[in-house]
Amino acid sequence: RLPIPPDFEPICTCGPVFGYLGAVDHRLNLNPVLSAAAAHPDWQFVFLGKYSPKNPYLEDAELLENIHFLGSRPQALLPDYVYQFDVCFDLVHSTDPEDDIIPSRIYTYLLTGKPIVALHLRLANPIFPDVIHNADSTAEFMAKCEKALLEHNHWAQQRRKRLPKAQRPPGVGVVFAVLGPHAGGNAHPQNAPQQNGPVHIPVKPQP
């Protein structure tokens, strides 16, 4: 197990945690999260990364108590936060209809083995459809979040972790240091030896 960061403990005791890694810039469409958070007050949506006050959805998002913008955190501490995620998610840019590039955070999500919900453009191909819950609308995003929460000891968990390394951009996942099956004490990433490739964090036990 990894330690629960002090600013995260009040969040993860309120309900399932949906986590997002990366910047929230002015183009990111937060509407799917707004709808899901309003419909499920117990779901906690956490954004780890810088966020822009120019995002048109930000004002509404800050009115909901179950949407949390934590800002940036040191890379060495990120595993402590990601370990607490129950589901990882990805969104799309509302101003870039032609943008179908898979963001590097998807590969980081895959390394954790955790359930993933990802929005994709209607005309784009779903992302790794055998192991990711893909959605192309706000309504489907919510439905896929519900489905992702039902994953318990699912076969897809190990398959996500075993995706061919060739599909991962260089350097992705290096921040997640090798931890033993019963991590603790000296196994923390800050004390781990340097690694040259993608590594893993332990899987949070299912309730």
Side-chain angles (χ1 to χ4, degrees):
R1 291 176 178 271
L2 291 179
I4 302 177
D7 61 342
F8 206 89
E9 190 165 5
I11 297 173
C12 61
T13 56
C14 294
V17 177
F18 295 79
Y20 179 92
L21 287 176
V24 178
D25 63 18
H26 66 283
R27 302 170 299 160
L28 195 66
N29 184 358
L30 300 179
N31 191 54
V33 170
L34 289 173
S35 297
H40 297 272
D42 58 318
W43 291 2
Q44 307 299 311
F45 289 89
V46 174
F47 291 85
L48 280 176
K50 296 180 180 180
Y51 56 95
S52 169
K54 295 182 179 180
N55 185 292
Y57 301 96
L58 192 61
E59 186 174 344
D60 289 337
E62 291 178 332
L63 295 176
L64 295 173
E65 295 183 354
N66 56 335
I67 298 181
H68 313 272
F69 296 94
L70 300 187
S72 299
R73 292 294 183 273
Q75 279 200 337
L77 298 181
L78 286 180
D80 294 351
Y81 287 88
V82 177
Y83 182 74
Q84 309 305 327
F85 292 175
D86 294 294
V87 177
C88 303
F89 71 93
D90 191 44
L91 302 173
V92 295
H93 287 154
S94 57
T95 58
D96 293 338
E98 303 299 328
D99 185 4
D100 60 353
I101 297 175
I102 299 176
S104 61
R105 74 179 136 267
I106 289 291
Y107 297 92
T108 298
Y109 292 166
L110 289 167
L111 285 169
T112 72
K114 295 176 180 290
I116 303 168
V117 177
L119 272 168
H120 66 89
L121 301 171
R122 287 186 181 275
L123 299 180
N125 292 324
I127 304 170
F128 302 114
D130 56 334
V131 293
I132 291 181
H133 301 279
N134 283 273
D136 65 8
S137 68
T138 293
E140 192 175 14
F141 175 81
M142 193 184 313
K144 291 302 178 72
C145 285
E146 292 171 348
K147 186 176 181 180
L149 286 176
L150 297 177
E151 276 195 24
H152 296 291
N153 300 317
H154 199 272
W155 61 266
Q157 182 181 96
Q158 293 304 318
R159 186 162 183 173
R160 292 185 190 110
K161 290 184 174 184
R162 291 197 300 264
L163 275 177
K165 293 182 180 181
Q167 298 186 49
R168 301 174 187 156
V172 168
V174 174
V175 67
F176 298 106
V178 175
L179 299 178
H182 304 289
N186 293 331
H188 191 275
Q190 291 173 315
N191 303 317
Q194 294 296 316
Q195 303 294 323
N196 294 321
V199 288
H200 306 282
I201 61 173
V203 175
K204 180 181 179 183
Q206 295 290 349

